[in-house]
Structures are given as C-alpha cells and as structure tokens.
C-alpha cells in the first residue's frame, strides 16, 4: 500500500468532528434566528393586544360619556354647561387622554380639551397622511353604536404629530360627534418594555442551548470514534473475503464481524452471480412481454429504418390499413401516407433522427381499399445502447370518426351563433318598438298640453310625459347598447335630466346642473324605477325650487359605497315638509317616490333645512 494514502478511518473521524462542529454552529444560528423571529412575532402580538385593550377602554369611556350626555339632555341642561364639564374630563389623569366634540357639520366645539367659541369649521382638515379626520368622525358617528377611526394628531404634551386611534359616537339630539382617543407612541413604549423582558429570557435560554449542544457533540464524537475502530476491524475481515471472489471460494469469518451490515456484504458476494442470472431471465421475459404488448395493442405499431422503409408491422396496423405484415415490410413511406403530406412526414422523421425525442403528428393516410383516413401518430427516434441510430418507431390511432364529429360540432356551433345573433337583433327591435310607442304617447301628451290652459292640468300632463320618457330612454339605451342586459347609468341620467328641463321650458341660463355619476351599469329592473325616481325629484325642483332662487342649482350624485348604491339629489329651493307633503305638489308625486324607493329595496332620507336634499341608499 502506498505510504502517502490517507487512512479512511482517520479521515472519517476528522470529518465527523468537522460535521459536529458545523452542526453545532448551524443549530445555534438557526435557533437564534428562530428565537429572534419568534420575538418579532411576539412583539407584534403584544402590540396588537395592547391596542385592542386600549380600544375597548376608550370605547367604554365614550359610551359612558354618551349615556351621561343623554341624562343631561333629559334634564334640559344647557349645551355650554355640558361642554364645560366635558372639558374637565381627562381619563387616567393624563393630559393626552381628553374628550373632543365637533358638530355634524364639522364645527369644533371642544378641541384638544379646550372650548372653541368662534365656531371654527374644520370639516376639510387633513392629517399628514391625507386622512380627512372630521369626515371620518362623521362616518363613525353615523353608525348606531359609534366606530373607530385611525389618523394622526398633534399630541398636547409633546406638540408633535403622532398616530392616534379614537372612538367616536354621535349624539343626534345635539348633532354632536363626541370621542376620545389614545396616542400610539405610548403603546409602543409599553410594547418595548414587555419585549425587553422576553429578550432577557431568550438570552438565558440560548446560553443553555449552546452548552447542551456542546456536550452532545462531544458525546457523539466519542461514540463515533469507538464505532470507527470496530468498523475498521470488520472491513479488514471483509477485505480478506473479497480477495477470494475470483476463485468462487468465499470464506468470511462472520462470527468475528460485529456489525450486521458488514456480514451482509460477505453473503452478497455469493448472491451477485445469482442476481446476474435472474437479471438475464428478466430481460428475456421483458422482451417477450414487449412483443406480446405490441402484438395485442389496439394501436398501430410501425417501425421505419433510416431509409424510411417499414421494418415492423403489428396486427392493429393490419386491421387499420388492410395490409398484412408480409405486404407491408420493406415498403416505402408513400405506402400508407397520402402523397400530399409525404414531404412533411419525411421532415418530421429527419428532425427526430437528428435531435432525438418524440413528436405528435396528425396526417392523412391511405388504406388498402383506397379509403382516406386521418391518423394521430406518436413518433419517436430509436437508438441502441451505444447511441447508434436505428430508425423511427411510430404508434398510431385512426381518429377519422373523431375528426368528423369535431367538424359536425363546429357546424352546429356556427348555426348556434347565428341563432343567437338573430335573437339579439329581434330583442333590440322589441326594445326599439317599445321606445317608439312610448315616444308616440309622449308626443300625444305634448299635443294635448298645447290645448290646456289650466296650469294644474298642464303640470299633470308634463309629469306624465316625463315619466313616460324616463322609461322610453331606458329602452332606447338598451337597443343601442352592445349588450342587452345592462345600461350605462351616467349617460342615461344626463339625457333624462336634459329632457325634463326641456319640457318645462326652463332657460338653460337659469339652471346650474352638476351631475356626478360613477361608472355603473344597471339592469332593466333597476334602471326603470331609478329613472322614474330621478324624474320625480328633478321635476319637483323645476316646479318649486324657483320660488326661492333666481338660478336653480341642481346636483345629482350616484356612487357605489361599500357595495351599497347612494343617490343624492339636491337643489337650492325653499324646501318643504316631506312627511306632510306639499300643498302645491299634491300627494301623488311623493307617494310615487316612496313606492319607487321601496321597489329598489332602499332607504330614503329627506332634508329640507335651507334647501331640499334627497338621499337614497339602495
């Protein structure tokens, strides 16, 4: 044995020591990293728990304040007395934990624990992150039980803009928004305090872990050293055993071998020859199975040599093409391939021989009786164990019936598309005729209106005319639309409002129109009641709003807010008592508005203080 060769056992010992040390290092790093990640997650959990606790605290405080305010209201106490009392409240005796009060319209009453007596309006105030704080307060106050808002505000004790969470509740009787909040920097300091305690415990645990891993590594190394010594003795015995393999005389002293695995090696030497014999038998069996499979397969199996001549032809190929094996062997590629695709098939074969692999190919074939059939082929290159090219193997299936069925389906699909187009044209024609019929009715009402001098009767005819036109416009938009199911609301509302203004013969210079409609599509069942609803409200504005204004300012807003549609129609007219109705209007228009809101499954709110505003949620 060469003197410069290294001992396997010594190398194993050396490497196992390196592995153990590396393992110790890796486990320590992984453990530290895992603990750090765990602490990071714990920090976030602690922070969230503190925020939840603080949130529930300020909520309970405001609910208590709300109950107290309602008691003061019932006792008929003055608003200023209530505000003076709220100004003195500081929860937990902290200067930063105070009550604030604003009106529904954004006028500050109690700001930073100080009374505001100049009526300052902060409705559009934004924090550094663009949050419109007072408007968010109003959204929370509109909820029956109040709500939380997140924003940034100047902290009184530090005079620094600090993130804050507040709970706000509405006092409808006073139209107040009352709330209190907690600054999040105090939460961060409390979180840091708890995390430091966790880090202290973590350091102690990591020290214990390193010590434990060190002791374990030393123990494993000593055990492995003993193992390698015993294994060296077993290897020496196996070496003597293998020296006699060539003479077929294997004598391993297995009684001296300490490890089962090494004793198996001695026995396996005798088994190698037996396994070789069994492997040769298995190969012969595999070849037999392949031949039987090829013979009994429902797929045509055709072999081609390098000159594109047939070298193999199974019974399924005989059945599909009608040629016997004897008739097919040695024939060229044009024997069963249609002459229109021969060149293409040759290129496929050539590419397979050059690049190996397999390829799927569908082409036209010719049977013995001259029939043209469509076959789906899976072609693969064939090589021997040394990599020498032998030819091509093609496995095929007659898919003529499948192709014919697919063509029939295509024809039916074309007929179906034609029928759908005809139906679409018919439906559009129906909507067109409905629109025309309504237009005729509207024109007849217009002609009739020319003969009526009574203003009340004229108003009735104009109302009926606009109601009919609101429905006619729906059908007009449907038959002009590409789809028959939905209509763009913005364009519809604009045209409807312009038409209503025209029939009331109002000068455009006397109407300031503001239409803000989101990109929304409605179906027919929604759009018709919506259009009639808008018609009634806009008609009321055109009839009566001029009583209080030279120029009618008419605003229409339609938006989708949190999966609920919001419609707002307002004018600058004198307003009226919606519940009692209007003397001028009569009750039909108002009854129709309520009925249409119910049809939309909506909720109606009317405000007529200073101007008339309809708000509908549906």
């Amino acid at each position: 044995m060469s003197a410069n060769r290294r001992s396997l056992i010594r190398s194993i010992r050396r490497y196992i020591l390196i592995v153990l040390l590396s393992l110790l290092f890796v486990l320590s790093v992984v453990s530290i990293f895992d603990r750090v990640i765990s602490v990071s997650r714990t920090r976030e959990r602690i922070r969230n728990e503190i925020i939840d606790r603080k949130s529930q605290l300020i909520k309970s405080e405001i609910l208590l304040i709300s109950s107290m305010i309602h008691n003061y209201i019932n006792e008929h106490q003055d608003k200023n007395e209530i505000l003076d009392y709220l100004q003195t409240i500081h929860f937990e005796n902290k200067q930063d934990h105070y009550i604030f009060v604003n009106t529904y319209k954004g006028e500050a009453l109690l700001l930073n624990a100080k009374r505001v007596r100049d009526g300052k309006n902060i409705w559009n105030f934004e924090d550094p992150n663009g949050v419109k704080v007072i408007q968010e307060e109003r959204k929370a106050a509109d909820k029956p039980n109040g709500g939380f808002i997140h924003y940034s505000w100047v902290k009184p004790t530090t005079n620094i803009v600090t993130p804050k969470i507040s709970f706000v509740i509405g006092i409808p009787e006073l139209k107040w928004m009352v709330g209190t909040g907690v600054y999040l920097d105090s939460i961060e300091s409390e979180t840091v305090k708890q995390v430091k305690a966790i880090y202290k415990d973590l350091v102690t645990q990591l020290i214990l872990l390193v010590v434990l891993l060190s002791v374990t590594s030393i123990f494993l190394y000593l055990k492995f050293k003993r193992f390698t010594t015993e294994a060296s003795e077993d290897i020496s015995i196996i070496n003597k055993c293998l020296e006699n393999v060539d003479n077929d005389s294997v004598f391993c002293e297995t009684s001296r071998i300490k490890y089962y695995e090494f004793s198996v090696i001695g026995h396996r030497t005798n088994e190698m020859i037996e396994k070789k014999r069994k492997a040769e038998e298995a190969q012969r069996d595999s070849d037999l199975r392949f031949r039987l499979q090829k013979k009994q397969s429902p797929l045509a199996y055709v072999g081609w040599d390098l000159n594109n001549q047939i070298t193999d032809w199974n019974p399924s190929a005989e059945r599909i093409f009608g040629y016997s094996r004897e008739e097919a062997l040695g024939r060229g590629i044009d024997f069963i391939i249609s002459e229109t695709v021969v060149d293409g098939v040759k290129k496929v074969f050539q590419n397979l021989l050059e690049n190996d692999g397999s390829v799927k190919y569908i082409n036209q074939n010719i049977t013995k009786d001259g029939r043209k059939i469509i076959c789906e082929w899976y072609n693969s290159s064939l090589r021997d164990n040394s990599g020498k090219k032998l030819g091509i193997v093609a496995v095929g299936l007659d898919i003529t019936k499948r192709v014919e069925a697919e063509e029939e389906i295509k024809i039916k699909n074309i007929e179906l598309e034609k029928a759908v187009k005809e139906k679409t044209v018919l439906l559009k024609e129906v909507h067109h005729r409905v629109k025309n019929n309504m237009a005729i009715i509207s024109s007849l009402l217009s002609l009739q209106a020319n003969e009526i001098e009574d203003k009340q009767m004229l108003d009735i005819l104009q109302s009926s005319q606009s109601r009919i036109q609101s429905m006619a416009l729906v059908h007009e938009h449907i038959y002009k639309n590409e789809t028959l199911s939905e209509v763009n609301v913005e364009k519809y509302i604009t045209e409807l409002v312009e038409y209503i203004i025209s029939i009331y013969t109002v000068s455009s210079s006397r109407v300031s129109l503001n239409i803000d409609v989101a990109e929304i599509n409605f179906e027919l069942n929604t759009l018709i009641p919506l259009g009639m609803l808008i018609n009634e409200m806009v008609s009321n504005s055109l009839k009566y709003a001029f009583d209080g204004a030279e120029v009618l300012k008419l605003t229409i807003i339609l938006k989708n807010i949190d999966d609920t549609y919001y419609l707002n129609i307002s004018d600058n007219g004198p307003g009226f008592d919606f519940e009692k109705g209007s003397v001028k209007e009569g009750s039909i228009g108002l009854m129709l508005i309520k009925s249409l809101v119910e049809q939309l499954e909506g909720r109606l709110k009317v405000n007529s203080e200073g101007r008339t505003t309809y708000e509908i949620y549906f």
Side-chain angles (χ1 to χ4, degrees), residues 34-92:
D34 180 67
R35 292 303 180 94
V36 171
I37 294 298
S38 177
V39 170
S40 299
R41 293 175 179 171
T42 303
R43 178 191 181 99
E44 187 63 25
R45 178 180 58 78
I46 292 173
R47 182 178 182 273
N48 290 335
E49 288 177 355
I50 295 173
I51 291 176
D52 290 342
R53 188 171 68 253
K54 294 287 187 180
S55 298
Q56 293 305 316
L57 177 62
I58 63 176
K59 180 179 179 180
S60 62
E61 292 169 348
I62 288 302
L63 292 177
L64 180 61
I65 293 297
S66 173
S67 177
M68 181 192 70
I69 292 173
H70 283 97
N71 290 335
Y72 286 160
I73 293 172
N74 293 334
E75 295 173 3
H76 303 290
Q77 289 199 17
D78 184 67
K79 293 182 181 180
N80 290 320
E81 293 179 357
I82 298 175
L83 290 173
D84 289 339
Y85 176 72
L86 294 179
Q87 180 182 357
T88 64
I89 298 176
H90 289 273
F91 298 103
E92 300 181 354

Side-chain angles (χ1 to χ4, degrees), residues 94-107:
K94 293 182 179 179
Q95 190 66 22
D96 296 328
H97 199 164
Y98 52 83
I99 300 294
F100 57 84
V101 179
N102 300 303
T103 69
Y104 279 4
K105 295 182 179 181
E107 295 177 357

Side-chain angles (χ1 to χ4, degrees), residues 447-461:
L447 291 174
Q448 188 68 40
N450 293 330
E451 301 178 2
I452 295 177
E453 296 180 357
D454 184 88
K455 187 177 184 304
Q456 184 176 2
M457 290 298 298
L458 184 61
D459 286 344
I460 293 173
L461 282 180

Side-chain angles (χ1 to χ4, degrees), residues 342-468:
V342 167
D343 293 338
V345 175
K346 287 181 178 179
K347 290 181 180 179
V348 171
F349 284 4
Q350 186 63 33
N351 288 334
L352 282 175
L353 292 173
E354 293 176 355
N355 304 314
D356 291 336
S358 60
V359 64
K360 174 184 173 182
Y361 196 75
I362 298 176
N363 58 265
Q364 190 179 78
N365 296 84
I366 308 298
T367 63
K368 184 176 182 179
D369 57 6
R371 288 184 300 108
K372 293 181 179 180
I373 61 174
I374 304 298
C375 290
E376 185 176 66
W377 294 98
Y378 293 86
N379 308 289
S380 301
S381 58
L382 185 64
R383 294 176 181 267
D384 60 15
N385 293 333
S386 64
K388 181 182 178 181
K389 300 175 183 178
L390 300 179
I392 300 292
V393 173
V395 179
L397 178 67
D398 182 3
I399 61 170
T400 305
K401 291 183 179 180
R402 189 182 80 188
V403 172
E404 292 174 350
E406 290 174 352
E407 290 296 327
E408 185 177 350
I409 291 174
K410 288 181 181 178
I411 294 173
K412 289 182 179 180
N413 286 338
I414 292 173
E415 293 175 351
L416 181 60
E417 290 178 1
K418 182 179 178 182
V420 170
K421 289 181 180 178
E422 292 175 351
K423 181 180 178 182
T424 301
V425 171
L426 180 60
L427 286 174
K428 285 192 174 187
E429 179 62 22
V430 169
H431 284 290
H432 185 63
R433 293 192 179 187
V434 170
K435 180 261 178 181
N436 286 344
N437 289 337
M438 287 185 172
I440 291 173
I441 296 173
S442 177
S443 298
L444 291 174
L445 291 176
S446 178
L447 291 174
Q448 188 68 40
N450 293 330
E451 301 178 2
I452 295 177
E453 296 180 357
D454 184 88
K455 187 177 184 304
Q456 184 176 2
M457 290 298 298
L458 184 61
D459 286 344
I460 293 173
L461 282 180
Q462 286 178 334
S463 297
S464 300
Q465 186 178 354
S466 62
R467 289 164 186 163
I468 293 170

Side-chain angles (χ1 to χ4, degrees), residues 139 193 205 241 251 273 328 336 355 434 469 596:
K139 292 178 182 178
K193 182 178 178 180
Q205 294 175 10
C241 174
F251 299 100
I273 297 175
I336 58 171
N355 304 314
V434 170
Q469 185 63 18
L596 291 170

